[in-house]
């Protein structure tokens, strides 16, 4: 039986420009263990034409199932059918609220980060802002076999975040526990955005300050999360990647990183060594 639950303690939304919006505490979890994807046990927003249940245990983080995300050569992964990725609807969040997203990603040996053109941007995990951009993480292709992780905080100023590179990489043949935290704000000073890989913080917006907050206006909201989608200049070769054990929450997590920052953390609760170009990790 697939493990899934959603908890809502209360709902209080004050949707007045300039005021902080507060929604009830909720958590969504899914590990695909009932062997289905779309509309499974209430996780109804997880859809995408290139997403299929996976039964190959070599590509499962734990349990018997994960989801396979199919990348078709020549596809830019951005159309109405949401190819090359998945879309998850969440409770609406607004100014002053917080959001944690954690998922396991696997890129099989031979996974190719190239495009059919010169563009090097690849979307990995992000939330969408109404009427504006998105925040989360993407990567920049360094070679066909690895892609440099970077923060993406682009409420209004698109593609102006070269100062948010991390020097850390996604490489083929590894499981990665990827976690993104954001405090939504119209103010750069109040914006918070952190990224952890395998339980170790590799990005903090406060250390990579730009002039772009996470929300462009006080009435902007977030209600959608995207896993992958949008491969600039089109996928080079037909291939698959895998996602497992997703948690999405606006509730303060119990675990903390080594600096005391609240985080969902890896499944086993261990803080793994910081990944770099010379190290390979597989999270079991």
């Amino acid at each position: 039986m697939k493990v899934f639950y959603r908890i809502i303690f209360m709902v209080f939304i004050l949707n007045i420009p300039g005021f902080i919006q507060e929604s009830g505490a909720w958590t969504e979890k899914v590990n695909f263990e009932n062997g289905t994807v779309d509309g499974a046990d209430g996780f109804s927003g997880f859809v995408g034409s290139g997403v299929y249940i996976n039964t190959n245990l070599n590509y499962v983080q734990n349990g018997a199932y994960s989801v396979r995300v199919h990348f078709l050569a020549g596809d830019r992964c951005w159309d109405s059918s949401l190819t090359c990725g998945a879309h998850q609807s969440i409770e609406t969040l607004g100014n002053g609220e917080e959001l944690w997203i954690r998922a396991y990603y696997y890129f099989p040996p031979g996974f190719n980060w190239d495009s059919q053109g010169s563009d090097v941007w690849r979307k990995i995990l992000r939330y969408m802002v109404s009427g504006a951009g998105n925040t989360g993480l993407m990567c920049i292709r360094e070679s066909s076999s690895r892609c440099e992780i970077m923060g993406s905080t682009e409420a209004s100023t698109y593609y102006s975040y070269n100062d948010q590179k991390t020097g850390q990489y996604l490489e083929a043949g590894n499981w990665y526990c990827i976690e993104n935290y954001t405090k939504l704000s119209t103010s750069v000073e109040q914006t918070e955005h952190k990224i952890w890989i395998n339980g170790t913080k590799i990005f903090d917006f406060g250390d990579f300050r730009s002039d772009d907050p996470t929300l462009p206006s006080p009435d902007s909201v977030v209600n959608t999360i995207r896993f992958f989608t949008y491969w600039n200049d089109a996928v080079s070769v037909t291939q698959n990647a895998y996602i497992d054990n997703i948690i999405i929450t606006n509730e303060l997590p119990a675990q903390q990183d080594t600096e005391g920052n609240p985080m969902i953390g890896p499944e086993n609760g261990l803080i793994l060594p910081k990944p770099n170009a010379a190290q390979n990790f597989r999270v079991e």
Side-chain angles (χ1 to χ4, degrees):
M1 173 68 72
K2 168 184 171 181
V3 176
F4 170 86
Y5 65 81
R6 181 186 184 91
I7 304 173
I8 300 180
F9 296 104
M10 69 170 192
V11 176
F12 172 71
I13 299 178
L14 184 60
N15 192 17
I16 302 174
F19 285 79
I20 291 177
Q21 299 174 0
E22 297 181 5
S23 57
W26 52 264
T27 296
E28 295 185 352
K29 292 186 177 184
V30 65
N31 60 16
F32 310 104
E33 288 305 299
N34 72 341
T36 61
V37 178
D38 295 346
D41 292 347
F43 207 73
S44 57
F46 199 82
V47 296
S49 63
V51 176
Y52 308 92
I53 201 70
N54 166 61
T55 58
N56 185 334
L57 292 180
N58 291 323
Y59 306 139
V60 174
Q61 192 268 328
N62 71 34
Y65 302 102
S66 64
V67 289
R68 173 169 61 93
V69 180
H70 187 61
F71 297 86
L72 182 66
D75 197 341
R76 292 178 65 243
C77 309
W78 185 257
D79 60 21
S80 59
S81 60
L82 289 171
T83 56
C84 313
H87 158 127
Q88 167 62 26
S89 299
I90 62 170
E91 292 287 322
T92 297
L93 299 175
N95 192 30
E97 297 193 282
E98 298 174 289
L99 178 64
W100 287 262
I101 312 166
R102 192 219 67 193
Y104 281 82
Y105 284 68
Y106 183 67
F107 306 95
F111 191 86
N112 192 313
W113 293 101
D114 291 343
S115 70
Q116 295 190 355
S118 59
D119 203 312
V120 296
W121 306 97
R122 313 287 179 256
K123 303 289 188 181
I124 304 298
L125 173 65
R126 59 207 169 108
Y127 66 75
M128 309 304 293
V129 179
S130 59
N134 54 84
T135 289
L137 64 146
M138 61 172 62
C139 68
I140 301 175
R141 174 201 173 278
E142 184 187 86
S143 69
S144 60
S145 61
R146 71 176 190 167
C147 201
E148 183 179 359
I149 304 166
M150 66 180 299
S152 169
T153 308
E154 49 170 301
S156 57
T157 308
Y158 289 90
Y159 308 115
S160 64
Y161 32 68
N162 285 307
D163 62 337
Q164 298 189 34
K165 295 180 180 179
T166 66
Q168 309 300 323
Y169 299 86
L170 298 174
E171 300 180 287
N174 298 301
W175 275 103
Y176 292 94
C177 176
I178 297 177
E179 182 169 347
N180 184 89
Y181 160 75
T182 307
K183 182 176 181 180
L184 304 174
S185 180
T186 58
S187 163
V188 171
E189 289 72 27
Q190 295 299 315
T191 287
E192 294 185 41
H193 180 200
K194 297 178 175 64
I195 298 169
W196 295 266
I197 301 294
N198 298 338
T200 297
K201 190 180 74 170
I202 66 165
F203 173 83
D204 192 322
F205 183 77
D207 299 329
F208 295 78
R209 181 65 66 198
S210 76
D211 58 357
D212 213 10
T214 47
L215 294 177
S217 64
D219 58 350
S220 296
V221 297
V222 171
N223 58 17
T224 304
I225 294 170
R226 297 198 191 279
F227 300 84
F228 293 120
T229 70
Y230 209 77
W231 192 290
N232 296 48
D233 273 352
V235 178
S236 60
V237 297
T238 297
Q239 58 190 344
N240 299 311
Y242 300 85
I243 303 175
D244 206 354
N245 293 317
I246 299 168
I247 298 178
I248 305 168
T249 187
N250 72 340
E251 187 175 11
L252 186 70
Q255 190 170 192
Q256 297 181 342
D257 66 12
T258 55
E259 298 176 4
N261 298 302
M263 65 182 300
I264 299 168
E267 287 286 293
N268 56 14
L270 297 178
I271 304 299
L272 301 180
K274 188 171 183 176
N276 60 43
Q279 295 173 309
N280 291 324
F281 298 101
R282 181 181 176 98
V283 180
E284 300 292 349

